[in-house]
C-alpha cells in the first residue's frame, strides 16, 4: 500500500495507454475507472509492469504515495468537476490533481482557485499525440503551480516524446497556461488540417487519383513540409476500405472516397478563435478553418445550393507539375502563417493572463509527439532563441524571407482557385494576413471616418496628436 508514484483516473484509450507508458518507464502507477471492464483490461495489459488496478476510489487513494499525485483523463466539462468532488474526501494538503484532458482554460483557472483554499494543487496538463502518443511518448504541456511541476518533472520527462535527446515537455507557465497552450496547439491543428484539405481539393481538380495524391504527399514529407499531418495524409490516400465493409465487391475502394464530407469538432479550435477575438489578436487562418468545419457540416444546404448557385466548373488546363510545385510552396507559406498566428496569440495571452510562457520552450516541445509536429518548428525554435521577445514570427529574418519568396506561388494558387471556383478560405486568409501586415497603410481611416460620421466615435489624425470629432453634415 501507498506504493504508487502516480495515479490515473479514467482508463479510456488515452488513460490506459498513458498508464502503460508510465509502467514502461519503470514507475509504479495505480489506475481507477468506474467501468469494471476497463479495470480488467488494464490488469490484463499491465503484465510485469508495476501497475495496479484499484477497485474503488478509496483503494486507489490508499495506493498512492504521499503527497499524492494523480492524472485524470476524462471528457472535459462536468466530468472533471465530478471527479474532483469525489476525490476530495480522500485528499490531503499538498496533494496534486492533474487534469490531462482538453479542458477550457477558464475552467482550469476556476478549479485552481477553488482548490487553493484546501492547499491542493491543481495542474492543467495539455497532452497531444492521440492514442499512439499516449502509449509511446506524447508532447506534454503542463502549467500551474511551479512546485507541483517540479515534483512531477522526472515522471513527465520520462513519459514524453524525445527530439534530439530533449524531452517534449516543459513548464508552460502559471495558472491555466498548460491548457491554454494546448488549446492554441489545437487551433493551429485546425488550420493545418484545413490547409491540407484545400490542397487536396486543388490536386483532385487536376485529375490525380489517390495513388498519385499519396505519392505527392510522400514527396512533400521529405522536404520542408515534413510533418506528422502531411505524413498521415499520404497514408490516408492509400488505405482501402475494410474487407467486411466492401462485402461482395472484390474491388475494394479507397476509404477516403467513402467518408462523408461533413467535418465534426469538439470545440478547441473554436475556443482559440473566440479567445483570440477577446484578446484582439488576428488568427484568420484558424478562424477560416473553424468556419469551414461548420460550413461542411451544413451539408443539406450545400446540396440544395449546388443546383441553385452557379459558377465555373473546376478544370485546370495549365502545366500540372508546375501547379503542384507551386502549391507546395503556397502550403508552406500558409503553414508558417498558421503557426505565426497561434504563437502571436500565445504571446499576448501570456502577457494578459500572467502566464510567463516561454515561446522557445513551446516551439521546442511541439517538435515531437504532438499532432502539429513539423520540421519547421526547429527553425521557429531558433527564431525564439535568437529573439525571445519576438511578437510575430513573420517579422523574423528567416521566415519573412520564406514568405517573401513564396508569395508569388500562393498568389498564383489563390488566383487559380478563385477562377476555378474552388473554395480555399484558409489559403486566402493566410495570404491576406501577409498582405495586411506588409501594408504600411490600410483603409482603416475610412472605417474611422464612418464611425465618427454616424456615431461620433472620434478618430485620431496623422498630422496632429489628440482625439477628434467632426460634424460631418455641417457645411
Ligand atoms: C491532440 C489532438 C486531440 C484531439 C483533438 C480533436 O493533440 O492529440 O488535438 O486533442 O484529437 O482535440 O479535436 P476535434 O474533435 O475538435 O477535431
Amino acid at each position: 500500500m501507498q506504493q504508487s508514484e502516480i495515479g490515473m483516473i479514467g482508463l479510456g484509450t488515452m488513460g490506459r495507454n498513458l498508464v502503460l507508458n508510465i509502467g514502461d518507464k519503470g514507475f509504479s502507477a495505480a489506475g481507477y475507472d468506474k467501468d469494471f471492464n476497463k479495470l480488467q483490461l488494464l490488469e490484463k495489459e499491465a503484465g510485469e509492469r508495476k501497475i495496479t488496478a484499484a477497485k474503488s476510489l478509496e483503494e486507489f487513494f490508499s495506493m498512492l504515495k504521499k503527497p499524492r499525485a494523480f492524472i485524470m483523463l476524462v471528457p472535459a466539462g462536468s466530468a472533471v468537476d465530478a471527479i474532483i468532488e469525489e476525490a476530495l474526501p480522500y485528499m490531503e494538503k499538498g496533494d496534486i490533481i492533474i487534469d490531462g484532458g482538453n479542458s477550457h482554460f477558464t475552467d482550469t483557472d476556476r478549479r485552481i482557485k477553488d482548490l487553493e483554499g484546501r492547499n491542493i494543487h491543481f495542474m492543467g496538463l495539455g497532452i497531444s499525440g492521440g492514442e499512439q502518443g499516449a502509449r509511446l511518448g506524447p508532447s506534454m504541456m503542463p502549467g500551474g503551480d511551479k512546485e507541483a511541476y517540479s515534483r512531477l518533472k522526472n515522471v513527465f520527462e520520462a513519459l514524453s516524446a524525445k527530439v534530439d535527446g530533449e524531452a517534449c515537455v516543459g513548464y508552460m507557465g502559471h495558472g491555466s497556461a498548460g491548457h491554454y497552450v494546448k488549446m492554441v496547439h489545437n487551433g493551429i491543428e485546425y488550420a493545418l488540417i484545413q490547409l491540407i484539405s484545400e490542397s487536396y481539393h486543388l490536386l483532385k481538380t487536376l485529375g490525380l487519383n489517390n495513388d498519385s495524391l499519396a505519392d505527392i504527399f510522400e514527396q512533400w514529407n521529405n522536404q520542408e513540409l515534413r510533418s506528422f499531418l502531411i505524413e498521415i495524409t499520404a497514408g490516408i490516400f492509400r488505405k482501402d476500405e475494410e474487407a467486411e465493409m466492401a462485402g461482395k465487391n472484390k474491388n475494394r475502394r479507397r476509404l477516403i472516397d467513402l467518408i462523408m464530407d461533413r467535418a465534426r469538432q469538439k470545440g478547441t479550435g473554436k475556443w482559440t478563435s473566440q479567445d483570440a477575438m477577446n484578446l484582439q489578436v488576428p488568427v484568420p487562418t484558424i478562424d477560416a478553418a473553424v468556419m469551414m468545419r461548420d460550413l461542411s457540416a451544413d451539408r443539406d444546404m450545400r446540396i440544395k445550393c449546388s443546383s441553385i448557385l452557379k459558377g465555373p466548373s473546376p478544370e485546370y488546363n495549365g502545366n500540372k507539375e508546375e501547379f503542384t510545385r507551386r502549391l507546395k510552396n503556397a502550403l508552406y507559406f500558409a503553414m508558417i502563417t498558421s503557426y505565426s498566428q497561434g504563437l502571436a496569440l500565445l504571446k499576448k495571452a501570456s502577457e494578459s493572463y500572467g502566464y510567463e510562457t516561454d515561446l522557445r520552450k513551446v516551439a521546442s516541445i511541439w517538435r515531437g509527439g504532438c499532432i502539429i509536429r513539423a520540421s519547421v518548428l526547429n527553425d521557429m525554435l531558433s527564431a525564439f532563441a535568437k529573439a525571445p521577445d519576438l511578437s510575430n514570427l513573420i517579422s523574423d529574418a528567416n521566415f519573412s524571407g520564406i514568405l517573401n519568396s513564396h508569395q508569388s506561388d500562393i498568389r498564383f494558387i489563390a488566383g487559380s482557385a478563385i477562377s476555378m471556383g474552388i473554395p480555399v478560405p484558409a489559403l486566402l486568409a493566410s495570404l491576406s494576413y501577409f498582405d495586411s501586415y506588409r501594408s504600411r497603410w490600410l483603409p482603416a481611416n475610412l472605417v474611422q471616418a464612418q464611425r465618427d460620421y454616424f456615431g461620433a466615435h472620434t478618430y485620431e489624425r496623422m498630422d496632429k496628436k489628440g482625439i477628434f470629432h467632426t460634424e460631418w453634415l455641417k457645411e
Side-chain angles (χ1 to χ4, degrees):
M1 286 292 153
Q2 294 191 4
Q3 284 308 305
S4 302
E5 272 142 302
I6 194 154
M8 175 72 66
I9 296 185
L11 299 173
T13 319
M14 288 289 288
R16 205 178 61 254
N17 279 330
L18 204 61
V19 184
L20 293 172
N21 182 359
I22 293 172
D24 283 344
K25 304 295 162 12
F27 296 102
S28 53
Y32 174 72
D33 198 294
K34 280 196 174 119
D35 182 343
F36 187 65
N37 295 330
K38 288 183 181 156
L39 285 174
Q40 278 189 317
L41 192 57
L42 178 67
E43 251 172 4
K44 205 173 108 201
E45 291 183 0
E48 298 295 292
R49 301 175 188 89
K50 292 181 274 178
I51 296 174
T52 340
K55 310 275 176 308
S56 66
L57 261 191
E58 192 176 359
E59 192 187 354
F60 173 78
F61 281 102
S62 71
M63 286 171 171
L64 299 181
K65 266 188 200 163
K66 291 184 184 182
R68 306 178 187 87
F70 75 88
I71 304 177
M72 60 171 124
L73 265 168
V74 297
S78 56
V80 176
D81 290 312
I83 286 178
I84 297 173
E85 211 46 53
E86 284 176 52
L88 277 177
Y90 304 101
M91 301 195 73
E92 288 167 15
K93 195 175 158 205
D95 288 350
I96 306 170
I97 304 180
I98 305 149
D99 174 13
N102 279 333
S103 291
H104 195 282
F105 70 97
T106 53
D107 283 336
T108 304
D109 280 324
R110 169 177 58 78
R111 290 166 185 145
I112 290 173
K113 232 169 139 222
D114 286 353
L115 292 165
E116 240 164 32
R118 298 174 182 248
N119 282 314
I120 289 171
H121 302 300
F122 187 82
M123 182 177 262
L125 167 67
I127 302 180
S128 176
E131 276 172 51
Q132 273 243 317
R135 184 70 188 86
L136 303 171
S139 174
M140 301 173 88
M141 297 151 245
D145 186 82
K146 216 167 184 173
E147 194 193 303
Y149 170 74
S150 311
R151 270 168 45 199
L152 291 159
K153 191 168 177 265
N154 64 333
V155 181
F156 289 159
E157 286 183 354
L159 292 188
S160 67
K162 310 285 175 305
V163 173
D164 302 335
E166 254 188 80
C168 293
V169 62
Y171 180 65
M172 294 291 99
H174 308 291
S176 55
H179 276 150
Y180 200 94
V181 172
K182 176 64 190 352
M183 178 189 80
V184 174
H185 165 284
N186 282 26
I188 297 172
E189 174 185 307
Y190 273 52
L192 302 182
I193 291 175
Q194 176 61 27
L195 288 166
I196 292 172
S197 303
E198 290 176 11
S199 304
Y200 160 55
H201 193 167
L202 288 164
L203 289 170
K204 226 172 135 59
T205 306
L206 302 185
L208 301 174
N209 64 19
N210 286 315
D211 279 328
S212 308
L213 291 171
D215 290 344
I216 289 170
F217 277 87
E218 267 161 21
Q219 276 165 26
W220 286 359
N221 195 42
N222 289 324
Q223 300 164 20
E224 64 272 31
L225 286 178
R226 188 172 184 79
S227 57
F228 173 73
L229 287 169
I230 295 284
E231 181 192 327
I232 64 166
T233 303
I236 288 169
F237 291 130
R238 294 216 197 274
K239 181 79 180 164
D240 285 330
E241 66 178 318
E242 290 88 346
E244 59 274 21
M245 296 289 261
K248 290 199 183 86
N249 185 356
K250 283 211 174 62
N251 296 325
R252 276 158 66 186
R253 291 157 298 176
R254 290 290 155 93
L255 185 56
I256 186 68
D257 296 323
L258 301 169
I259 295 178
M260 178 86 74
D261 57 334
R262 185 190 276 161
R264 301 294 188 191
Q265 55 187 312
K266 292 195 207 76
T268 43
K270 181 183 75 182
W271 295 347
T272 309
S273 283
Q274 284 173 329
D275 204 56
M277 292 258 175
N278 287 340
L279 295 176
Q280 299 182 305
V281 179
V283 294
T285 314
I286 298 172
D287 298 338
V290 176
M291 176 276 285
M292 279 307 272
R293 291 219 187 173
D294 297 337
L295 206 151
S296 78
D298 197 7
R299 190 163 178 267
D300 293 345
M301 182 51 82
R302 282 194 286 120
I303 291 170
K304 185 174 174 193
C305 289
S306 65
S307 58
I308 301 173
L309 304 176
K310 305 291 174 205
S313 39
E315 200 182 336
Y316 186 71
N317 297 317
N319 182 319
K320 294 180 182 175
E321 272 172 25
E322 190 209 352
F323 187 94
T324 307
R325 184 188 57 74
R326 301 191 80 170
L327 177 61
K328 180 191 77 179
N329 288 344
L331 181 55
Y332 191 45
F333 176 112
M335 279 184 161
I336 291 171
T337 64
S338 305
Y339 286 99
S340 303
Q341 292 165 32
L343 287 158
L345 171 60
L346 265 184
K347 180 159 174 63
K348 182 70 187 289
S350 174
E351 289 160 6
S352 305
Y353 304 141
Y355 290 151
E356 298 187 52
T357 303
D358 175 359
L359 294 187
R360 199 203 70 88
K361 194 84 218 165
V362 175
S364 170
I365 69 169
W366 283 352
R367 289 179 307 152
C370 67
I371 306 298
I372 64 167
R373 62 185 184 260
S375 63
V376 70
L377 279 159
N378 283 309
D379 301 331
M380 297 185 175
L381 168 60
S382 309
F384 286 117
K386 255 191 317 186
D389 271 335
L390 190 65
S391 300
N392 195 318
L393 280 169
I394 60 169
S395 64
D396 165 73
N398 173 38
F399 286 111
S400 56
I402 298 172
L403 297 180
N404 285 336
S405 71
H406 288 17
Q407 64 170 304
S408 61
D409 293 320
I410 193 166
R411 287 187 203 289
F412 167 77
I413 295 294
S416 307
I418 287 169
S419 33
M420 290 190 282
I422 296 175
V424 288
L427 281 168
L428 294 177
S430 300
L431 180 56
S432 291
Y433 184 74
F434 169 84
D435 279 334
S436 301
Y437 268 116
R438 65 178 194 84
S439 300
R440 179 175 275 274
W441 178 87
L442 282 173
N445 49 343
L446 183 55
V447 174
Q448 286 299 78
Q450 291 185 343
R451 291 178 66 245
D452 191 56
Y453 188 113
F454 62 68
H457 294 300
T458 74
Y459 56 88
E460 293 158 286
R461 291 178 61 117
M462 312 274 274
D463 56 342
K464 286 182 199 151
K465 278 208 178 314
I467 300 291
F468 298 89
H469 167 60
T470 295
E471 292 297 325
W472 292 86
L473 292 176
K474 207 162 122 193
E475 288 296 312

